[in-house]
Amino acid sequence: MAKKKKTFRPKARTPKGLRDIGASTVRAEQMMLARIRDVYELYGFEPLETSAFEYADALGKFLPDADRPNEGVFSFQDDDDQWLSLRYDLTAPLARFVAENYDGLAKPYRRYQTGPVWRNEKPGPGRYRQFTQFDADTIAAPTVAADAEMCMMAADCLEALGIPRGDYVMRVNNRKVLDGVLETAGVVGEGPEFEVQHLTVMRAIDKLDRLGPDGVRRLLGKGRKDESGDYTEGAHLEEAQIDRIIAFTQCGQTDRIAVCDAMAELVGESEVGAEGVAELREIDALITACAYGPERIAFDPAVVRGLGYYTGPVFEAELTFEAETDEGVTRFGSVGGGGRYDNLIERFKGVKVPATGFSIGVSRLYSALEALGKLNQDEVIAPVVVLVMDKDQLPGYQLMVRELRNEGIRAELYLGGSGMKAQVKYADKRNSPIVVIEGGNEREAGEVTLKDLILGSQLSSQIEDNAEWRESQPAQLAVPRAELIKGVKDMLARHFDMSHVDARHR
RNA sequence: GCCGUCUUAGCUCAGUUGGUUAGAGCGCUAGAUUGUGGAUCUAGAGGUCCCCUGUUCGAUUCAGGGAGACGGUACCA
């Protein structure tokens, strides 16, 4: 077949795992970020912004993943051959910043930061290769008071966003307790082999909610084969060890003190274990004093968190309600998490700098709020559109736009090249409340015509005959040119509460 | 990473047992109406039939490889 000669055209498409975000979502998301920021500010945190990419060695790798050591991060080489990487979270850049500016910072240093991060992974539903996090961290704070505060602040954030008490819970655990249990269970050792086993155990526990105790049991033992035939290598523990770990993960309950008691029992003689339990008791005392009950902050031994660098308390913000989405009923699960990382800055400084932090997964939380109906998306009134009836009258039209803008009314001149019908259609599509019409007839009479598109749209459901509909010119009003502003304001006031527009200009 | 399904217009999808010019609905642009949103009628734009290689006189169709999308699983600092 003879093909037509074609000029090459690139395919317009978004890269895998990336997406565009439309106007109403951007607005709603920014409102959400503002509310979170207000809570962080209230707690005394200061804003910080760092760049999107860093020297690769400064970001470091905190995940000893034997299989794929270099995956997950987007990297490229500078013209001096040094490797740069896009940040994959906001904590690693913070560690670099603190190390670089250590002496000048008031310590404890408390900062918050939001922005996109990038991970080079297979995208999935609700999982992208670029996503936004909103972090707060306290650096050089050795006591668990800092951790307790993180948990309370996270709870406050969720409530500030309109999530009712009872629909979320902060689940808290301590890595030290976990280590203690492993110690008494006899899962001990040193070197990379032990690291891998340790990691496997953590990952297994992390899957408890999805696979249940039996699945976790298999992962702790020989291994597990899933329905698609994929086999996951296990940790090869003995039955008695597995029993002890499973018992530990199951000892969660409502009363925080009772959880601590159960943990103390399972930790036995282990020193780190005892230390971990003591820390949890201290956290309990702090949050109890502030009246955060277990329905808001609970102790749960099944919380593990991805591991990388955590050394003490770890926490996870979980949404517990179910919601109808396109895919049916879903639980949103974890929308954020964090914990204590005492040796992250040590990489740079050579001295231990204790720190703790919390990170909110913005997109995930956003979809949850959307499902809850907590986002009022269309608060912004679309612009008034001034139509171009006669091209030689542009300065006059532009002046009308200027006058409207001076009054704080969103307005724009029609900047396209099409006829009147297309212009009204455009305004309609933009959700514009009003179009301003000044053709020859109006000009002669010293008037402008205002067309109320919202009212017109309501009337249009009763249209029978097109010609008649046009002649009747529904929802239109001619006002003297000098009263353009007043006319527009009155018309807007039919549909909107205009107090905030006026207030801005007083 | 592994397993499975899929990929034709902006969207949802037909279709070609391998054959000239690949279709529909919706959407889009414009006209009917100097100058009015819906409906109607008319016209128009828009396609490397995912990419590469092979088989063939001829491939959107068949074969091999690749990419991408979706679902499951693994990973998730």
Side-chain angles (χ1 to χ4, degrees), chain A residues 99 258 293 346 372 424 465 484 493:
Chain A
E346 189 182 1
L372 261 185
V424 177
D465 176 71
L484 168 68

Side-chain angles (χ1 to χ4, degrees), chain A residues 356-388:
Chain A
T356 186
F358 180 74
S359 174
I360 291 176
V362 171
S363 331
R364 202 116 166 235
L365 185 53
Y366 179 90
S367 1
L369 290 176
E370 198 174 33
L372 261 185
K374 291 293 178 188
L375 302 163
N376 26 356
Q377 298 196 340
D378 291 310
E379 229 179 42
V380 179
I381 302 169
V384 171
V385 175
V386 176
L387 301 194
V388 176

